[in-house]
């Protein structure tokens, strides 16, 4: 029996090999409608977008200011505004052997206070180089990482270390979408990385007031969250001379394609409306001295990813004749420091900030015996009583200013606001839409004389690379005639014939088309993937909702190519969360005759279940320019019909339409 099994298998192997030799060249068929593959595809595109090989230093001189301003805008503040030094509140000094520790807190923004320790070598006669240590995600922050600051002070550096807004003396929030369902952060354009960067900039503003600090020699370093902040700080602030991020960056294709993002805090990637990879951020640092330290079995950052962007950045640095300014230190183990990386960082700063060449192996490591370090009650600033007005716990509500509803009393004012909003959305919210549309390659895949008075046709078409959708048309009018069409967006999880029942209440002289956008029905995915999809999509500069808007826009355009459709009389409809998708599709399409909405959400500024299994209303940065309730007015001359009633917030659109163009929102019962 043994030989009866082995012989056929051997023959099969030989036959397979023979067929492979004789078969013609095969064409790889890209699977369609797979959200995980799509996210990987798009993240890889971001990683490959910046090409060190194809750009000259002259070209970079013109590109860099644009990239820099985009980066700062994504962070949500203005580096060009004049600012006074932060107000500082001293809280005592600790004398140590060879240095002392000044305890204080400073006011980064009105009522945003940052508890800090400054390690100052004794007997300073001339301004000293300074290092800012950026804390990672560890309870105790400046207490937990004190050994690094102590060692830097022993080496002669003035060293500032402070708490982040999470896990310090006051516990604010880095985790919004991560575990609280605060996906509205994406709509607000908010990311806690921006607050941390601002606090670091303001800490450096304080150092600039001190006569003992040499502002020409400023270094930054930190691990994990402090590692990513080291990238951001070096890219944002020209006063930083040298940076040594540790375990703090990876290419986007690694983060998303390998699902490493699932272990990351929300602060580990900027609010990515301009679709940047860490390579782009590294290019903004160039040609400053940059030491990248990475462990080889880090669950959050694959070493292959780090090598990839290091090689790309090295090539970029070489264009400036600065190839010696960038280095990579690899260490063994997981997401952590290693004596090798710590000593390399000390040597790096001694060389670039003090002009001292000291071999890493000759430098003593940090103190690792906890008994020789200071307890928390010695280093803490507040002693359990932070300022009563401190807004650390609520900074997510105010750091980014959301747009106030504009006052619109005329047609000109309405048109101006329309253009302003659409121009903003095209670049900051829908910037990930393809630069050129894919050919529809439309095909009728099903037809019947049943289901509707004049039959039913189903077409398939390409929406975006990797996505082929279906539009299912029910004909109330003869197919030989060009007739009005109402495109109905199906809702996730709806019952059979539910959308059909909804459509029967409106647009009686229209043919009805039904569309499942990404995330719905046949082109949906398992509900448990929604948390990952919503976070990963935002990291690569889009959202689940923006992808759905694009699908709806493409379906509208495809339907206009059909011979039985009057292209000037196409309308769109949606219920609940899909009403939001319908509104933005109509706004950006600019050709819809009408939109029919049932129970549309009144704002993007609302939270979700922490598992993300609800309608995805987030659109990157949208609240910095507009909100859902304003879209019916901004979509004019598209008419808006609401089922049964006008939700309270939408009264704004009704009032604007009435004052500006003598129009209104209509109710369908």
């Amino acid at each position: 029996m043994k030989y009866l099994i082995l012989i056929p298998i051997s023959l099969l192997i030989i036959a397979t090999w023979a067929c492979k030799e004789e078969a013609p060249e095969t064409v790889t068929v890209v699977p369609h409608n797979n959200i995980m593959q799509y996210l990987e595809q798009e993240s890889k595109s971001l990683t490959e977008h910046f090409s060190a090989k194809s750009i000259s230093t002259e070209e970079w001189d013109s590109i860099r200011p644009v990239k820099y301003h985009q980066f700062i805008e994504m962070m949500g503040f203005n580096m060009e505004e004049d600012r006074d030094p932060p107000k500082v509140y001293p809280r005592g000094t600790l004398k140590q052997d060879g240095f002392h520790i000044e305890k204080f807190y400073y006011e980064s923004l009105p009522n945003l206070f940052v508890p800090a320790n400054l390690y100052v070598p004794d007997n300073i006669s001339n301004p000293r180089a300074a290092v800012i240590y950026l804390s990672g995600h560890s309870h105790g922050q400046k207490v937990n990482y004190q050994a690094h600051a102590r060692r830097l002070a022993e080496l002669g550096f003035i060293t500032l270390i402070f708490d982040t807004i999470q896990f310090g003396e006051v516990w604010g929030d880095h985790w919004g979408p991560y575990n609280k369902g605060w996906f509205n952060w994406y709509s607000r354009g908010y990311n806690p990385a921006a607050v941390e960067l601002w606090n670091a900039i303001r800490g450096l503003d304080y150092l600039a007031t001190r006569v003992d600090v040499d502002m020409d020699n400023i270094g930054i370093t930190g691990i994990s969250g402090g590692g990513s902040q080291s990238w951001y700080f070096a890219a944002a602030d020209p006063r930083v001379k040298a940076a040594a991020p540790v375990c703090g960056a990876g290419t986007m294709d690694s983060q998303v394609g390998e699902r490493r993002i699932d272990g990351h805090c929300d602060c580990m990637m900027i609010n990515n409306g301009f679709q940047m990879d860490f390579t782009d951020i590294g290019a903004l640092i160039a040609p400053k001295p940059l030491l990248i330290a990475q462990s080889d079995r880090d669950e959050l950052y694959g070493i292959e990813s780090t090598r990839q962007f290091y090689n790309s950045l090295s090539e970029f640095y070489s264009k400036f004749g600065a190839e010696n300014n960038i280095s990579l230190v690899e260490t063994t183990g997981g997401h952590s420091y290693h004596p090798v990386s710590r000593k390399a960082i000390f040597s790096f700063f001694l060389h670039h900030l003090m002009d001292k060449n000291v071999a890493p192996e000759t430098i003593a490591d940090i103190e690792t015996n906890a008994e020789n370090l200071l307890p928390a009650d010695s280093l803490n600033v507040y002693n359990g009583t932070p300022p009563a007005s401190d807004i650390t716990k609520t900074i997510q509500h105010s750091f980014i200013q959301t747009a106030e509803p504009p006052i619109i009393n005329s047609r000109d004012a309405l048109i101006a606001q329309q253009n302003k909003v659409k121009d903003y959305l095209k670049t900051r919210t829908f910037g990930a839409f393809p630069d050129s549309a894919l050919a529809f390659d439309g095909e009728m895949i099903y037809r019947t004389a049943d289901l509707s008075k004049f039959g039913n046709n189903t077409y398939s078409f390409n929406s975006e690379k990797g996505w082929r959708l279906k539009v299912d048309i029910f004909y109330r009018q003869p197919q030989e005639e060009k007739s009005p069409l109402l495109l109905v967006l199906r809702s996730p999880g709806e019952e059979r014939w539910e959308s059909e029942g909804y459509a029967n209440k409106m647009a009686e002289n229209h043919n009805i088309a039904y569309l499942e956008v990404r995330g719905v029905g046949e082109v949906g995915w398992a509900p448990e993937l929604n948390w990952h999809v919503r976070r990963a999509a935002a990291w690569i500069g889009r959202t689940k909702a923006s992808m759905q808007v694009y699908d709806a826009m493409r379906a509208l355009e495809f339907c206009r190519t059909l011979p039985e459709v009057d292209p000037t009389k196409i309308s769109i409809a949606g219920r609940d969360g899909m009403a939001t998708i319908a509104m933005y599709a109509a706004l950006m399409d600019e050709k819809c005759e009408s939109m029919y909405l049932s129970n549309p959400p009144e704002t993007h500024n609302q939270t979700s279940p922490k598992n993300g299994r609800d309608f995805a209303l987030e659109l990157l940065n949208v609240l910095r320019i507009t909100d859902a309730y304003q879209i019916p007015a901004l979509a004019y001359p598209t008419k808006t019909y609401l089922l049964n009633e006008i939700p309270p917030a939408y009264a704004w659109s009704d009032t604007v339409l009435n004052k500006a163009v003598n129009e209104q929102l209509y109710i369908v019962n």
Side-chain angles (χ1 to χ4, degrees), residues 267-287:
C267 73
M268 299 300 284
M269 187 60 204
I270 53 180
N271 188 60
N272 206 7
F274 289 109
Q275 300 90 53
M276 286 190 179
D277 187 82
F278 260 103
T279 313
D280 296 288
I281 297 167
L284 292 175
I285 297 172

Side-chain angles (χ1 to χ4, degrees), residues 146 150 367-375:
Q146 65 174 291
R150 294 178 68 88
E367 176 61 68
T368 56
N369 186 347
E371 294 181 358
N372 295 330
L373 299 174
L374 293 172

Side-chain angles (χ1 to χ4, degrees), residues 293-348:
Q294 180 61 52
S295 52
D296 64 0
R297 290 297 179 267
D298 188 340
E299 66 165 321
L300 299 177
Y301 299 107
I303 189 64
E304 295 79 10
S305 165
T306 307
R307 291 169 183 161
Q308 181 182 351
F309 71 66
Y310 165 70
N311 289 333
S312 179
L313 285 176
S314 293
E315 188 171 356
F316 186 66
Y317 266 67
S318 68
K319 293 179 181 293
F320 300 91
E323 54 269 26
N324 293 330
N325 276 3
I326 184 169
S327 56
L328 171 63
V329 175
E330 295 185 21
T331 57
T332 58
H335 188 73
S336 64
Y337 277 110
H338 188 281
V340 169
S341 55
R342 290 191 291 260
K343 293 180 180 183
I345 291 168
F346 298 147
S347 175
F348 171 79

Side-chain angles (χ1 to χ4, degrees), residues 610-626:
K610 65 181 181 181
N611 61 18
R613 299 184 194 182
D614 64 342
F615 283 109
L617 301 180
E618 63 270 14
L619 291 171
L620 292 182
N621 303 306
V622 66
L623 289 169
R624 295 171 78 166
I625 189 69
T626 190

Side-chain angles (χ1 to χ4, degrees), residues 134-447:
L134 302 169
S135 297
H137 294 94
S138 179
H139 295 183
Q141 302 282 289
K142 61 187 179 300
V143 177
N144 182 72
Y145 293 106
Q146 65 174 291
H148 299 266
R150 294 178 68 88
R151 188 71 192 102
L152 285 164
E154 290 168 352
L155 291 169
F157 297 98
I158 295 174
T159 306
L160 175 67
I161 184 171
F162 53 86
D163 288 349
T164 70
I165 60 173
Q166 180 172 285
F167 295 151
E169 292 189 60
V170 176
W171 279 35
D173 289 292
H174 272 195
W175 297 342
Y178 180 74
N179 71 347
K180 291 184 170 66
W182 294 350
F183 292 96
N184 57 319
W185 278 10
Y186 300 139
S187 296
R188 295 184 67 96
Y190 174 75
N191 188 296
V195 184
E196 302 303 349
L197 174 57
W198 181 251
N199 286 349
I201 290 169
R202 296 298 279 154
L204 186 50
D205 287 346
Y206 163 65
L207 292 184
T209 68
R210 296 180 60 107
V211 296
D212 54 356
V213 173
D214 178 3
M215 288 299 294
D216 291 328
N217 287 289
I218 301 295
I220 52 170
T221 190
I223 189 172
S224 191
S228 63
Q229 280 297 313
S230 296
W231 287 86
Y232 302 147
F233 198 3
D237 199 317
R239 297 173 296 179
V240 172
K241 182 178 180 180
V246 183
C247 296
T251 56
M252 200 64 75
D253 59 347
S254 172
Q255 292 301 295
V256 174
E258 298 167 10
R259 288 193 68 169
R260 295 179 187 270
I261 179 181
D262 290 358
H264 274 300
C265 170
D266 294 311
C267 73
M268 299 300 284
M269 187 60 204
I270 53 180
N271 188 60
N272 206 7
F274 289 109
Q275 300 90 53
M276 286 190 179
D277 187 82
F278 260 103
T279 313
D280 296 288
I281 297 167
L284 292 175
I285 297 172
K288 295 177 184 178
L290 175 64
L291 182 151
I292 305 165
Q294 180 61 52
S295 52
D296 64 0
R297 290 297 179 267
D298 188 340
E299 66 165 321
L300 299 177
Y301 299 107
I303 189 64
E304 295 79 10
S305 165
T306 307
R307 291 169 183 161
Q308 181 182 351
F309 71 66
Y310 165 70
N311 289 333
S312 179
L313 285 176
S314 293
E315 188 171 356
F316 186 66
Y317 266 67
S318 68
K319 293 179 181 293
F320 300 91
E323 54 269 26
N324 293 330
N325 276 3
I326 184 169
S327 56
L328 171 63
V329 175
E330 295 185 21
T331 57
T332 58
H335 188 73
S336 64
Y337 277 110
H338 188 281
V340 169
S341 55
R342 290 191 291 260
K343 293 180 180 183
I345 291 168
F346 298 147
S347 175
F348 171 79
F349 284 140
L350 286 168
H351 174 65
H352 289 288
L353 303 183
M354 289 186 176
D355 199 25
K356 296 179 179 179
N357 293 317
V358 184
E361 60 271 15
T362 66
I363 302 174
D365 196 10
I366 64 171
E367 176 61 68
T368 56
N369 186 347
E371 294 181 358
N372 295 330
L373 299 174
L374 293 172
D377 57 3
S378 295
L379 294 175
N380 283 344
V381 172
Y382 296 147
N383 294 318
T385 308
S389 61
D390 181 43
I391 60 172
T392 297
K393 292 183 177 181
T394 59
I395 186 61
Q396 64 269 17
H397 301 312
S398 60
F399 188 79
I400 298 293
Q401 295 299 308
T402 56
E404 293 291 329
I407 297 173
I408 299 174
N409 293 317
S410 68
R411 180 187 181 90
D412 287 346
L414 176 58
I415 299 303
Q417 183 66 10
Q418 282 180 335
N419 293 333
K420 177 182 176 182
V421 169
K422 285 187 283 192
D423 287 346
Y424 182 94
L425 295 178
K426 286 175 183 176
T427 54
R428 275 81 171 173
T429 304
F430 301 131
F433 283 1
D435 293 332
S436 58
L438 194 65
F440 286 123
D441 193 20
E443 180 183 6
M444 183 190 294
I445 58 174
Y446 177 85
R447 62 182 176 180

Side-chain angles (χ1 to χ4, degrees), residues 482 485 553 555-563 565-570 589-593:
K482 282 189 176 292
L485 181 73
M553 292 173 61
L556 289 168
E557 202 58 41
F558 172 69
C559 288
R560 292 191 180 101
T561 69
L562 299 176
V565 173
D566 183 344
T568 66
K569 294 185 178 299
I570 295 186
D589 175 75
E590 300 180 336
K591 301 173 187 175
C592 277
E593 182 180 38

